[in-house]
Amino acid sequence: MSICSRGIFSADKALALVFFLLPSTLVYPESAFAQTKNQGSKTSCGKPFERALVVSGGGIAPGLALGVIAGAKDAGYKPDVIMTTCGASIGGAINNSYQDPKKAKEYLTSREFHRHLLSLAKVSKKKDAFTGEIRNLGAEELGAKLGMAQLNKGKIPNIFTGNLLDVPQTLPRMLPRQDFARSPNEPKLVIVAARANFQPKDVGGSKNSNVLYEQTFFTDPKTAKHLHEIPASMKQNFPDSPIHATTVAKTGLSTLQAARASIADPFLIDPAKIGEDYYFAGAMDLFPIESAQTIACNVAITKPSGEYTMLEDMAVTNGFGFSQSERIKQLDRYKGLRWIDMKGASEFAMDPDTDGMDLVSRVPTDYEQFKALVEKQYDFGYDRTRNAMEGSPTAPANQRRPVAR
């Protein structure tokens, strides 16, 4: 499951585990962003970049992100900046390393990357209190953690340890280039995450601060100047959320460090520790539309594939203080975007699934099966993006036609 994309736990399991959850109706005002022109800009609207491509979420499906990026380029929409959140950040890092879509895809479907992914997508284990057997964590443990967080809304939950997926703090050095710096004619990469303003020692303490998170952009120094201390879109959209009013842009880190931070879903994956700070998922702003529109004249963005389950919504709500389902409902209000329809993408994701009440990995252990699945991810992202780019800008996101290869 992944709160960055579309997860696995069904609504009936969610209800059974957290039946005491009381639903609430939230209403949020429209956000307002001042649009200022940069002096000396050579873009059509005076902003730093002409075209931005936002690839949001996707879970364990890096082929989707690569397919989207390649499809955009082949359709004539060459992005000046690529923004990625959550699982899409891995595909973004791979693309940034190779730049050549063909070489990036070759690596993505290689035995080397398959080995790396198998080592990263491990489910955490525990000793069963009754049988003494070692088993995978699953819906029971997640439901219990979310239930406790819901009952203790005024206290900082433990989202540092005991989470479902066992992802190492340091990802293996698996890319030839891991820096954000690019040549002038190559697209800049931005990876979205959330810095926590609290530490493990603060777990159980009172949420006495109304600022628990800072929306963070990892990128190169030049791009960082345009994203540092701009209005934090999720604070604008959800004023009661514990998010700082402005953003932070960080430089000097590797793309893999940033990707590790961006995939750290609260309650699912331990946060990334960078220096003395802890970072959580790009799910805090899964669709950074306002940020992209602040720096680019034209924005194309992937549209989510489905609704969130109750457990997934609870993970976001108890982690970041807003409902991801409510955020998805807001998307229809945005104008001037080119949406890339990703409905059905979850069919090709390799997010963990439930076996009974336990969580199990869905990354195929067989290499040929893995390669075939990644190829499907890539083709899906490529085809949907070509459709979006070659159709009318005002056409519905789900309007699709066959794509000639």
Side-chain angles (χ1 to χ4, degrees), residues 362-376:
R362 280 204 304 167
V363 177
T365 56
D366 179 78
Y367 168 68
E368 294 300 332
Q369 292 180 5
F370 163 80
K371 182 179 179 181
L373 186 55
V374 172
E375 292 274 5
K376 289 180 180 178

Side-chain angles (χ1 to χ4, degrees), residues 62-306:
L64 285 174
L66 279 186
V68 168
I69 295 169
K73 291 180 178 179
D74 286 354
Y77 186 90
K78 185 179 179 182
D80 302 300
V81 59
I82 298 171
M83 303 184 75
T84 62
T85 63
C86 296
S89 62
I90 296 176
I94 293 173
N95 177 77
N96 197 67
S97 181
Y98 289 93
Q99 287 300 318
D100 182 341
K102 183 178 180 180
K103 292 182 178 179
K105 184 182 177 184
E106 286 176 356
Y107 174 72
L108 191 66
T109 55
S110 68
R111 293 183 182 275
E112 179 186 354
F113 182 73
H114 180 226
R115 289 193 298 270
H116 285 315
L117 194 58
L118 283 173
S119 69
L120 296 176
K122 290 183 177 179
V123 179
S124 301
K125 298 180 180 296
K126 65 172 287 187
K127 185 176 182 179
D128 192 283
F130 297 100
T131 66
E133 296 179 351
I134 303 297
R135 68 171 185 81
N136 289 355
L137 299 186
E140 181 181 355
E141 286 76 21
L142 178 61
K145 288 192 73 170
L146 290 175
M148 287 299 295
Q150 186 67 23
L151 288 173
N152 297 281
K153 289 183 177 180
K155 296 182 178 180
I156 295 174
N158 179 18
I159 48 180
F160 292 94
T161 59
N163 296 307
L164 294 189
L165 297 183
D166 183 15
V167 179
Q169 279 293 327
T170 303
L171 300 185
R173 186 173 180 82
M174 55 187 183
L175 298 175
R177 288 194 63 176
Q178 299 187 62
D179 58 302
F180 279 91
R182 298 285 84 185
S183 65
N185 63 333
E186 294 175 336
K188 310 301 182 184
L189 176 65
V190 177
I191 294 179
V192 182
R195 189 183 79 85
N197 286 332
F198 54 94
Q199 302 276 325
K201 63 180 177 61
D202 300 316
V203 169
S206 173
K207 293 180 180 178
N208 52 14
S209 170
N210 61 356
V211 178
L212 295 180
Y213 299 97
E214 288 182 323
Q215 183 174 350
T216 304
F217 300 107
F218 296 105
T219 188
D220 65 275
K222 186 175 180 179
T223 307
K225 294 178 181 179
H226 304 300
L227 290 168
H228 188 63
E229 294 186 346
I230 65 172
S233 56
M234 297 313 289
K235 184 64 175 180
Q236 297 284 325
N237 292 318
F238 299 93
D240 294 333
S241 63
I243 299 171
H244 196 271
T246 57
T247 64
V248 173
K250 291 189 69 69
T251 64
L253 299 174
S254 75
T255 55
L256 287 181
Q257 282 179 298
R260 172 61 179 85
S262 193
I263 64 173
D265 290 335
F267 298 99
L268 303 183
I269 299 175
D270 294 350
K273 190 171 190 284
I274 301 175
E276 297 302 315
D277 295 323
Y278 291 86
Y279 290 86
F280 290 90
M284 194 195 76
D285 192 2
L286 191 57
F287 313 101
I289 298 169
E290 291 92 342
S291 301
Q293 289 180 324
T294 298
I295 63 172
C297 304
N298 300 285
V299 177
I301 180 172
T302 56
K303 196 165 189 178
S305 60

